[in-house]
Amino acid sequence: MSDTVFADVTVYSGGIWLPHRDVRVTGGVVESIDDTGSGATPSDADIRFGGYLIPGFVNTHTHLQQSLMRGIAECTPLLEWLLAVGEESVAITPQRAYTAAVAACLEALRSGTTTVVEHMWPHPDDEVHGAVIQALRDTGIRAVLGRGVADRPDATRKWGFEPRLMQPLDEVCDHIDHLRDQVNGSPITMALAVPNPRSLTENGMTHLREFAQERDMSVSIHLLETPTDDRMCLEHAGVGAVEYLDGAGFLWDRVLAVHCVELDDVGQGILAERGVAVSHNPLSNMRLGSGVAPVPQMLDRGLAVGLGVDGAASNDTQDMLETFRIAAYLQRATHKRADLLGFGEMLDIACGGANVALGLPEIIGGVSVGDPADLTLIRFDRDYATLPVRDPGASVLTTGSPRIVDTVMVDGQVAVADGRSTRIDEDEFTKEVLALQK
């Protein structure tokens, strides 16, 4: 692996923009950030001149297979929407799973995302999981791959999960160990993905916590996206959703709670005390009419908050720059304050807000020496709608789109160059996706 040098760039580092810097990448790590021309450049280095360099985004929640479900069940509430998505998920084939995952990963990369946290729904087919892993490898993205787990069947999805997609937990855990061996040594790590608190029994939570902790794995779980979790847990278990999980010991510092729109003050305190991180998914919450997560309050509580795009069945894109902007604007509108969530705070949220819970290195204040070389190079002159640039951070937040993303590096390897994948023939792949409509 030869060195890569981003030469004479403006790099966001230490919470400020540093102009005229050479950023050297060696062995998949940011080795140095120097004044331009102050150090020797290896003759065989891959040199990329100019632009603005930021860390790659970490999309803390998505469902890759949903890229073939765009627009599904539009104008319906969550439970009705879930039933429609469930039917599509039952019918998924390995080929469709591969195509969907490639499409989602390419779209994510082209919006500056270097890591996706994939929340797969429970599914008994090993070939479907293998197809997703192959798609991740082929596109070159980093991934925390959550294998779906549930042990309470309920076809209505109100107090349990779709029974046609479930297996005994022992079989699921054996399969996760098999998948861990399969991705060992790659930028893919395995995790557990729980549909919601209603889909696990108390015994199931005990079993899965022991399994995850023995392997130092993360767990993502949809939590309080709507009042349904609380309502069902109160009806069947006599306590709210957070208390239901906490009572079974299923809240700890490797848990990522997704959505948390209905998370009240007491719940925030419990999650903060247990070290649970939150994935904020503003566009999905808006599309499904779920509401607005109390992000400023969570941050004030000391909760770690990351940014999620969610699946393309509820967003309906994988555009992290769009989510980056809307996450800030939504809170400003809700709280009637223009001074909330500026570029620096949003970048910390979007690049590393939930990283500790996910087992990823902390990313704070931009690009730092020693960080994994997961980087995005922006060129504002790729889109006149971003010009002139008064403040690079303000321009990224207020006008950024995939059009300004020039180069995306993952683990020291260039996955996107000149705005296009270096690993997938995008023209041919587009034909394959279009053929699915026939």
Side-chain angles (χ1 to χ4, degrees), residues 314-325:
S314 65
N315 185 313
D316 293 54
T317 77
Q318 295 295 286
D319 182 350
M320 191 69 161
L321 280 162
E322 180 182 42
T323 299
F324 186 69
R325 175 168 58 257

Side-chain angles (χ1 to χ4, degrees), residues 56-58 304-306 346-356 361-364:
F57 295 135
V58 177
V305 178
M346 279 305 308
L347 195 72
D348 284 347
I349 290 171
C351 298
N355 282 18
V356 173
E362 289 189 83
I363 302 295
I364 300 173

Side-chain angles (χ1 to χ4, degrees), residues 300-373:
D300 288 344
R301 276 278 193 173
L303 275 166
V305 178
L307 193 61
V309 171
D310 211 342
S314 65
N315 185 313
D316 293 54
T317 77
Q318 295 295 286
D319 182 350
M320 191 69 161
L321 280 162
E322 180 182 42
T323 299
F324 186 69
R325 175 168 58 257
I326 295 301
Y329 285 7
L330 181 60
Q331 296 298 330
R332 294 178 189 183
T334 300
H335 295 276
K336 299 182 179 179
R337 286 181 52 190
D339 61 344
L340 286 177
L341 298 176
F343 170 77
E345 190 170 13
M346 279 305 308
L347 195 72
D348 284 347
I349 290 171
C351 298
N355 282 18
V356 173
L358 296 168
L360 301 171
E362 289 189 83
I363 302 295
I364 300 173
V367 180
S368 300
V369 173
D371 285 349

